[in-house]
Amino acid sequence: MFPRLTIICLISGLIGIIQCNTIPHQLDIIIKSPSTSPQLIDDSDSKYKSGNNTDEAAARAFLKAQEIEAVKICRKSVQAEWNFASNLTEYNKQVLLETSRQSANFAKETWYNATSFAWKNFSDPLIRRWFKGLSVLGTGVLDGYKLNQLNEIIADMEDAYSNGKVCPYSAEPVTNKSLCNLNFDEDITEIMSKSRNYEELKSIWTQWRDVTGKKMRNNYLKYIELLNEAAKLNGFSDNGQLWRDGYESDSFEDDLEIIWNQFEPLYKLLHAFTRKKLIAIYGEDKIKPNGPIPAHILGNMWAQSWSSLGDLLTPFPNKPSVDITDNILAKNLSVVDMFRISERFFTSLGLKPMTDKFWKYSILERPSDGREMTCHASAWDFCDGDDVRIKMCTQRNMKEFIVIHHEMGHIQYYIQYKNQPYVFRGGANPGFHEAVGDTLALSVSTPTHLKTIGLLDEISADSEGDLNHLMSMALDKIAFLPVGYLMDRYRWKVFADNSTHSSLNRLWWEHRLRYQGICPPVRRTEQDFDAGSKYHIAANVPYIRYFVSYIIQFQFHKALCQAAGNTGPLYQCDIYQSREAGQLLSNVLSLGSSKHWSEALEIITGSKKMSALPLMEYFAPLIDWLKTQVNEDEIGWVSSDPMICP
Ligand SMILES: *[C@@H]1O[C@H](CO)[C@@H](O)[C@H](O)[C@H]1NC(C)=O
Ligand SMILES: *[C@@H]1O[C@H](CO)[C@@H](O)[C@H](O)[C@H]1NC(C)=O
Ligand SMILES: *[C@@H]1O[C@H](CO)[C@@H](O)[C@H](O)[C@H]1NC(C)=O
Ligand SMILES: *[C@@H]1O[C@H](CO)[C@@H](O)[C@H](O)[C@H]1NC(C)=O
Ligand SMILES: *[C@@H]1O[C@H](CO)[C@@H](O)[C@H](O)[C@H]1NC(C)=O
Ligand SMILES: *[C@@H]1O[C@H](CO)[C@@H](O)[C@H](O)[C@H]1NC(C)=O
Ligand SMILES: *[C@@H]1O[C@H](CO)[C@@H](O)[C@H](O)[C@H]1NC(C)=O
Ligand SMILES: *[C@@H]1O[C@H](CO)[C@@H](O)[C@H](O)[C@H]1NC(C)=O
């Protein structure tokens, strides 16, 4: 069991980062923007608590004293959490729980003191933004009994998820239950990605939902109620509004919908092409040519990355591979070698190298001393920008090579904003933090770059090679975007509207159908709760940051390519060794969250708006090619019942 922390830990299971701050960052903005999106939230908004103490000098003194204490408590909490996550013993857990009780008390005291000031009337905008960051407490606002109840519910749901085990597939029912021991991280993932047996996939897919989400439904209803209660006490209408507050925009939902609409035609093309290829394998009795794709045959438990279907979908299979896994093994690169190669990319841009403490304390491979640990890849900030670490049980393959860049992007951010006040040591918004390493990885994964650094021997520098490269990127990025979008759209609706609570599963499948065009292979009912079979829903982790990251990383890439003087197409651009690109990125990273993200975005791209157009530009040749592979009337899907495949 993973203990409930009252410190704010953003744990992501997608690629996996942990970013801990003992005080919630809720940000602040001063300008009310007229018609350009995003519509910035004004800090005079009544949901941000403030009091009647107008003494600005006293307020500064409070911030100064609070800062020193906050950093101390942060270090202590992160250390305790690291000790536990890297060595799962009962003793370490008890230390962690005690530390998190202390930091919860501190957070509450800070909030109480901060909101006694009439900070909205203060003259210095930076001080106002700082206070705004301290004016939202989060779930700590609940009374002790309810807070415990909430924490236990989340722990139970996470336990149900982590302990989920399923039986191997056999045509006969499994009678020997001791065989039912397939775990998620190794066995189930392997089957979902490698098997092409429709019935086997269906069995594993269904069992996973039976042993996880189905067990959580009642807990989830109570969880919604408690989170909403906390959100209201914080001044928000519901918990969805509180989650969105980190993006500081009243038009956030509408802006995302605009982006979705820009992007959707590309997803539908890839969907139609993939469906056609899958019909060739599984037949029209399993997949309707104008219907949604069965959710279990896309190579991933949630159909959120289709990379495992690469062999099936590569446009020109006879061209040299764009995968460097074989070379990593042939060259006998160690895990540390892989990290050094990644670091070299950062430093080639003039960005910061990893610190001495990074190399000293990081855990880059599963320790061989037999201790139990959480292997999930994560990046850690011990609150001083010098002690920064990655914990990752790194495998030697291309996917992990890219994950290394992702995690190092977090570390780079930590190092860059270390001189900001503690309250601003965070991403401009959560999506920014996820986007840094991925942006660099867009350059790193170009075949030309991989050849330059000796990881590909042979590349095919022609349009067929380009299309293979673009398809391999699309199976990760394009396939992911609808999932990145629907996960929180679903939860926002559930938090906001209690009439959805009697049809939680129908609403889930309506979202899966509308955005992803997929359907369940076995009839779903309201006895099931399939949303809970995804880690981030069971474990209370917001998700929209990944959608935002996947959009803005292409905006970043385009802007950095321009700064680097690149004139070719975006998908070939490699910013390696460009000091200009590095400087531009560093200008934004070093701000942390001290400015609104739209200003940060403007510094890099010249525009305050998020946009999917750079992503569309990147994939343009693939879009054209896909249009030659599917006819207009083969695009899209219809289904009269989202609870079962037609
Ligand atoms: C803050 O300023 C507003 C408008 O100037 C004023 O109405 C309000 O009384 C002030 N609040 C305090 C606590 O002084
Ligand atoms: C300020 O607010 C506190 C608590 O909200 C109250 O007890 C106190 O009387 C107020 N002081 C003034 C001067 O209004
Ligand atoms: C793991 O934690 C225990 C305390 O519970 C400690 O005695 C042990 O040395 C730790 N192991 C490692 C490898 O740090
Ligand atoms: C937290 O605060 C409560 C109430 O103020 C107190 O009873 C408790 O001892 C404190 N816990 C810690 C760990 O400081
Ligand atoms: C809150 O204010 C009280 C009274 O001034 C002070 O003793 C305490 O240290 C402050 N706590 C924090 C976290 O600022
Ligand atoms: C069930 O399977 C386990 C593991 O393969 C085996 O050791 C055991 O003998 C089996 N039991 C029965 C009753 O077949
Ligand atoms: C690969 O590297 C490891 C350690 O880095 C070394 O022990 C091993 O001999 C190497 N294998 C080959 C085939 O070079
Ligand atoms: C939904 O919320 C409203 C307003 O908060 C409340 O009156 C109503 O009883 C709730 N309905 C259910 C089914 O919980």
Side-chain angles (χ1 to χ4, degrees):
M1 191 198 91
F2 204 79
R4 298 296 75 235
L5 302 181
T6 27
I7 58 172
I8 301 299
C9 272
L10 308 173
I11 306 176
S12 110
L14 171 73
I15 324 193
I17 70 134
I18 299 189
Q19 195 199 333
C20 290
N21 291 297
T22 42
I23 308 294
H25 287 182
Q26 301 298 336
L27 312 177
D28 172 278
I29 189 62
I30 293 89
I31 321 137
K32 185 100 184 168
S33 150
S35 60
T36 56
S37 56
Q39 281 170 21
L40 309 182
I41 290 175
D42 193 319
D43 65 11
S44 66
D45 193 314
S46 66
K47 65 176 170 277
Y48 303 114
K49 281 206 176 13
S50 62
N52 58 13
N53 185 347
T54 54
D55 184 345
E56 200 163 336
R60 284 173 190 271
F62 156 73
L63 291 181
K64 206 170 156 191
Q66 195 274 343
E67 169 88 5
I68 293 166
E69 205 54 32
V71 169
K72 274 192 210 151
I73 295 208
C74 177
R75 288 190 63 80
K76 207 171 151 193
S77 309
V78 175
Q79 185 68 56
E81 199 182 344
W82 171 273
N83 289 349
F84 178 64
S86 62
N87 180 13
L88 299 166
T89 66
E90 186 57 31
Y91 175 80
N92 289 344
K93 180 161 100 185
Q94 291 311 322
V95 173
L96 174 59
L97 287 172
E98 176 56 23
T99 318
S100 46
R101 279 191 289 269
Q102 287 168 8
S103 71
N105 273 10
F106 177 74
K108 205 158 184 168
E109 215 181 273
T110 295
W111 173 76
Y112 186 81
N113 286 2
T115 55
S116 72
F117 288 99
W119 55 269
K120 293 177 191 178
N121 289 20
F122 290 169
S123 55
D124 183 341
L126 191 78
I127 298 292
R128 290 204 300 276
R129 188 168 177 81
W130 194 328
F131 268 99
K132 185 181 164 195
L134 302 176
S135 75
V136 178
L137 179 56
T139 53
V141 73
L142 291 172
D143 69 38
Y145 175 77
K146 284 185 172 161
L147 185 57
N148 265 339
Q149 195 183 14
L150 175 63
N151 289 340
E152 273 172 28
I153 284 174
I154 297 171
D156 282 354
M157 292 195 294
E158 217 178 310
D159 270 352
Y161 185 93
S162 307
N163 295 329
K165 296 257 171 31
V166 309
C167 310
Y169 169 69
S170 71
E172 311 286 309
V174 178
T175 49
N176 184 346
K177 291 294 174 197
S178 70
L179 296 172
C180 296
N181 202 26
L182 301 188
N183 71 31
F184 190 83
D185 283 328
E186 280 110 32
D187 314 326
I188 297 180
T189 305
E190 170 95 1
I191 296 170
M192 292 309 293
S193 63
K194 301 250 167 81
S195 171
R196 298 285 188 268
N197 178 334
Y198 192 91
E199 293 303 323
E200 176 180 30
L201 290 168
K202 183 162 95 178
S203 160
I204 302 293
W205 186 95
T206 311
Q207 288 187 66
W208 176 250
R209 280 154 181 81
D210 287 347
V211 298
T212 56
K214 194 168 186 167
K215 301 200 162 146
M216 294 170 201
R217 189 177 170 119
N218 289 334
N219 266 340
Y220 203 78
L221 289 170
K222 189 72 196 170
Y223 156 92
I224 297 166
E225 187 188 315
L226 288 167
L227 278 188
N228 274 343
E229 187 175 334
K232 286 189 178 121
L233 289 170
N234 279 289
F236 296 88
S237 62
D238 65 79
N239 188 61
Q241 197 195 27
L242 188 147
W243 277 6
R244 290 189 300 275
D245 191 54
Y247 296 87
E248 300 180 274
S249 162
D250 281 335
S251 58
F252 187 55
E253 284 174 277
D254 295 341
D255 296 343
L256 292 185
E257 190 68 17
I258 292 169
I259 288 167
W260 174 258
N261 289 328
Q262 286 175 337
F263 160 78
E264 192 178 26
L266 170 51
Y267 178 70
K268 285 187 159 169
L269 273 172
L270 184 66
H271 178 279
F273 176 71
T274 304
R275 179 174 54 196
K276 211 162 154 168
K277 294 284 182 181
L278 288 170
I279 289 175
I281 293 188
Y282 295 108
E284 282 197 15
D285 57 325
K286 303 270 195 322
I287 310 167
K288 295 283 163 288
N290 67 346
I293 301 176
H296 62 302
I297 55 172
L298 285 155
N300 172 279
M301 186 56 89
W302 310 281
Q304 69 175 54
S305 164
W306 302 352
S307 297
S308 324
L309 303 183
D311 54 338
L312 191 64
L313 301 174
T314 300
F316 302 96
N318 298 327
K319 290 281 167 168
S321 166
V322 293
D323 192 315
I324 60 170
T325 302
D326 291 346
N327 253 340
I328 290 176
L329 299 176
K331 290 190 190 305
N332 198 24
L333 293 184
S334 68
V335 163
V336 173
D337 292 336
M338 290 164 68
F339 276 82
R340 288 285 183 191
I341 295 171
S342 174
E343 182 190 37
R344 217 169 294 144
F345 194 92
F346 284 86
T347 53
S348 88
L349 303 176
L351 295 170
K352 311 269 190 207
M354 299 295 105
T355 65
D356 292 342
K357 284 183 181 164
F358 175 88
W359 295 110
K360 190 163 172 202
Y361 295 124
S362 286
I363 298 177
L364 306 181
E365 288 177 87
R366 185 190 277 279
S368 53
D369 55 15
R371 71 177 119 148
E372 273 197 70
M373 67 177 260
T374 314
C375 256
H376 210 91
S378 49
W380 298 63
D381 181 0
F382 287 68
C383 322
D384 63 0
D386 181 34
D387 192 348
V388 286
R389 311 180 191 176
I390 285 176
K391 182 172 66 55
M392 178 168 170
C393 301
T394 316
Q395 308 280 320
R396 295 189 300 152
N397 60 43
M398 178 158 185
K399 194 167 164 234
E400 298 268 290
F401 183 62
I402 300 299
V403 173
I404 290 172
H405 289 78
H406 177 90
E407 301 300 342
M408 269 199 188
H410 291 301
I411 302 285
Q412 185 66 222
Y413 222 147
Y414 300 151
I415 299 176
Q416 292 273 348
Y417 59 50
K418 68 175 182 180
N419 294 325
Q420 289 288 340
Y422 178 71
V423 74
F424 299 138
R425 290 184 209 158
N429 71 35
F432 274 59
H433 229 299
E434 302 300 331
V436 178
D438 284 15
T439 301
L440 270 49
L442 289 176
S443 286
V444 172
S445 51
T446 56
T448 331
H449 180 82
L450 294 172
K451 182 146 192 285
T452 306
I453 61 171
L455 291 177
L456 277 182
D457 304 325
E458 197 195 351
I459 59 171
S460 150
D462 57 22
S463 65
E464 297 189 348
D466 290 342
L467 286 165
N468 282 353
H469 167 53
L470 284 171
M471 180 61 88
S472 89
M473 298 302 288
L475 295 181
D476 252 345
K477 306 280 181 189
I478 304 305
F480 175 76
L481 275 159
V483 182
Y485 192 38
L486 73 85
M487 287 269 293
D488 279 1
R489 268 197 81 93
Y490 171 76
R491 283 188 285 187
W492 294 340
K493 183 133 181 75
V494 166
F495 285 129
D497 179 0
N498 63 5
S499 75
T500 61
H501 297 181
S502 55
S503 50
L504 283 180
N505 211 32
R506 171 165 294 274
L507 184 69
W508 174 249
W509 282 104
E510 282 167 3
H511 279 70
R512 298 270 266 173
L513 177 65
R514 160 144 187 229
Y515 293 106
Q516 269 188 293
I518 64 172
C519 59
V522 174
R523 175 163 286 286
R524 311 318 286 161
T525 71
E526 290 305 328
Q527 303 303 306
D528 304 306
F529 177 54
D530 293 321
S533 299
K534 170 78 186 165
Y535 173 78
H536 299 70
I537 292 193
N540 181 37
V541 185
Y543 208 73
I544 199 69
R545 72 182 67 154
Y546 298 110
F547 182 79
V548 170
S549 160
Y550 275 48
I551 296 295
I552 63 178
Q553 61 188 246
F554 288 92
Q555 292 180 268
F556 289 3
H557 182 61
K558 180 171 179 169
L560 297 184
C561 288
Q562 256 158 18
N566 177 76
T567 51
L570 276 187
Y571 61 89
Q572 283 175 351
C573 162
D574 171 16
I575 60 170
Y576 192 46
Q577 295 178 330
S578 166
R579 299 279 158 155
E580 293 77 11
Q583 187 59 51
L584 190 54
L585 191 57
S586 161
N587 289 347
V588 164
L589 301 186
S590 58
L591 289 173
S593 62
S594 62
K595 283 199 188 326
H596 190 280
W597 62 263
S598 64
E599 292 180 57
L601 192 60
E602 188 176 27
I603 293 173
I604 300 192
T605 67
S607 163
K608 283 181 156 49
K609 294 187 202 180
M610 287 190 284
S611 163
L613 296 180
L615 176 147
M616 301 297 276
E617 182 184 334
Y618 180 97
F619 284 107
L622 184 69
I623 298 175
D624 291 341
W625 183 80
L626 285 170
K627 283 180 179 162
T628 68
Q629 301 298 305
V630 293
N631 297 324
E632 194 65 36
D633 61 0
E634 293 175 303
I635 295 171
W637 52 86
V638 291
S639 168
S640 55
D641 183 355
M643 303 292 262
I644 182 74
C645 284

